[in-house]
């Protein structure tokens, strides 16, 4: 038993050191991404703390927690308790970009990861989503024209109310847009309800910039 305990402690110690090194690299990679996602005041840290011996397991002797502070001077806390919904989505994007070379999943879905941002920041979010899609499939639900213009394919989701057996029923339909339809949709995203020639010209410019 003593030999087994010694072997466990040696292996767990090596794992702990490897985790510390990986955490430092992860911190650097994620914090490098944050300014591009309008989180320049945020700071991410992967905290590794040793568990009491009674909590040691086949996973080692460490407790690992992702912490973040979103404003200078505020204490760091668990990422799921400190970050707002929009911040959490962008932190997840930064994490996925940082791990993109070692990620084994084949599809990622982002729902409104661009919420609350626009202009150059939205363009930067779009660029990072595009970079992420180089190796895996990325599905993005968005209201941002900058993000939509980056997509290889553009699907338009529509909800309607139909009568079924005398009762209202909500129906959701998805249609892939052609190039012309996509231009019109991006123009609508830029202009709102009324699509103007100026919005169409802006959509043309945005799509042209993405292609180049």
């Amino acid at each position: 038993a003593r030999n087994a305990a010694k072997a466990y402690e040696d292996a767990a110690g090596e794992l702990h050191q490897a985790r510390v090194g990986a955490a430092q690299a992860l911190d650097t990679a994620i914090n490098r991404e944050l300014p591009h996602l309008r989180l320049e005041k945020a700071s991410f840290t992967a905290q590794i703390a040793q568990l009491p011996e009674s909590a040691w397991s086949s996973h080692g002797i460490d407790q690992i927690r992702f912490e973040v502070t979103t404003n200078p001077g505020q204490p760091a806390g668990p990422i799921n308790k400190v970050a707002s919904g929009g911040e959490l989505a962008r932190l997840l994007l930064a994490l996925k970009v940082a791990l993109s070379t070692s990620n084994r999943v084949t599809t990622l879905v982002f729902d409104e990861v661009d919420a609350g941002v626009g202009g150059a920041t939205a363009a930067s979010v779009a660029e990072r989503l595009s970079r992420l899609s180089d190796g895996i499939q990325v599905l993005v639900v968005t209201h941002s024209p900058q993000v939509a213009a980056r997509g290889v394919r553009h699907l338009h989701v529509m909800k309607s109310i139909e009568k079924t057996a005398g009762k209202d029923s909500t129906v959701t339909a998805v249609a892939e847009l052609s190039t012309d339809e996509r231009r019109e949709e991006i123009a609508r995203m830029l202009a709102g309800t009324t699509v103007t020639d100026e919005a169409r010209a802006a959509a043309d410019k945005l799509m042209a910039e993405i292609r180049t």
Side-chain angles (χ1 to χ4, degrees):
R2 184 175 299 174
N3 289 339
K6 179 64 166 57
Y8 174 86
E9 290 177 7
D10 289 345
E14 291 179 5
L15 179 59
H16 170 78
Q17 292 302 320
R19 282 171 169 164
V20 169
Q24 292 172 347
L26 183 63
D27 292 350
T28 299
I30 291 179
N31 286 316
R32 188 185 299 125
E33 287 292 322
L34 297 184
H36 301 291
L37 302 174
R38 214 184 75 171
L39 292 169
E40 59 278 350
K41 296 180 181 179
S43 178
F44 172 92
T45 306
Q47 292 284 357
I48 300 177
Q50 185 170 326
L51 292 164
E53 188 172 346
S54 60
W56 293 2
S57 70
S58 59
H59 298 292
I61 60 175
D62 301 312
Q63 179 186 59
I64 302 170
R65 189 167 68 175
F66 290 168
E67 293 190 348
V68 65
T69 176
T70 55
N71 294 294
Q74 291 186 346
I79 192 170
N80 61 319
K81 293 184 178 180
V82 173
S84 66
E87 291 168 340
L88 190 60
R90 280 174 281 154
L91 285 163
L92 175 61
L93 175 56
L95 178 63
K96 294 300 183 181
V97 170
L99 297 176
S100 59
T101 57
S102 59
N103 203 340
R104 296 182 180 179
V105 300
T106 57
T107 301
L108 289 173
V109 180
F110 292 95
D111 187 1
E112 308 251 0
V113 69
D114 47 31
V117 301
T121 304
S124 187
V125 169
E127 188 276 331
R128 273 143 183 81
L129 288 167
S130 180
R131 186 202 306 177
L132 195 57
S133 71
D134 287 342
I136 59 175
Q137 178 177 240
V138 177
L139 303 178
V140 182
V141 180
T142 182
H143 292 286
S144 166
Q146 291 94 335
V147 173
R150 274 275 183 181
V152 176
R153 300 172 67 185
H154 190 152
L155 305 177
H156 186 214
V157 181
M158 298 157 286
K159 285 186 177 181
S160 60
I161 305 297
E162 296 183 1
K163 288 285 187 181
T164 303
K167 297 182 179 179
D168 287 341
S169 177
T170 301
V171 177
T172 301
V174 180
E176 183 175 0
L177 302 184
S178 66
T179 300
D180 289 342
E181 290 170 335
R182 185 176 185 183
R183 171 196 182 228
E184 194 72 7
E185 179 60 18
I186 292 174
R188 186 198 62 76
M189 296 168 78
L190 286 164
T193 305
T194 302
V195 178
T196 63
D197 289 339
E198 289 79 4
R200 292 186 179 95
D204 284 335
K205 182 179 179 181
L206 185 59
M207 294 174 69
E209 289 175 351
I210 298 302
R211 287 194 295 270
T212 57

